[in-house]
Amino acid sequence: MLKCLKCVDWKKTGIFAAGVAFGTAGIKLLSSKDAKKVYTSCTAAFLRAKDSVMKTVTTVQENAEDILADAKQINEERAEKEAAAQFEE
């Protein structure tokens, strides 16, 4: 039995045991009521940020549509002027 205990690498065994202890403590900590409150607050903040970003995206998209419509109108007017100029010649 003593020979078997001499073969054990106590450093690695200690590290493994510490990992198990920290893992168990971490699970208990992450599943606590306080942690749930933090998760809820963070999720609410992300949802608020998402709403803000979506409003900004909608505004930018509307502006881009207006710019595209104006650009098409400018090109149509330019084409009409060029056609009128060629007709006059």
Side-chain angles (χ1 to χ4, degrees):
M1 176 85 174
L2 293 176
K3 284 185 179 181
C4 190
L5 292 177
K6 289 182 181 180
C7 295
V8 174
D9 186 357
W10 291 106
K11 183 177 179 181
K12 289 182 182 178
T13 305
I15 291 172
F16 175 77
V20 169
F22 281 123
T24 303
I27 290 172
K28 292 212 182 247
L29 179 68
L30 293 175
S31 62
S32 69
K33 287 183 181 180
D34 292 332
K36 185 177 178 182
K37 288 178 185 179
V38 171
Y39 303 148
T40 304
S41 297
C42 289
T43 303
F46 284 124
L47 289 174
R48 287 191 303 272
K50 177 189 158 217
D51 289 341
S52 176
V53 168
M54 292 307 294
K55 286 178 185 176
T56 304
V57 166
T58 301
T59 302
V60 169
Q61 190 175 20
E62 290 171 354
N63 289 339
E65 290 171 357
D66 292 343
I67 291 169
L68 179 62
D70 290 342
K72 286 181 179 180
Q73 184 178 358
I74 290 170
N75 284 339
E76 288 174 6
E77 291 172 358
R78 181 178 279 178
E80 289 174 5
K81 285 180 184 178
E82 288 177 2
Q86 286 181 356
F87 182 72
E88 291 177 1
E89 292 178 2

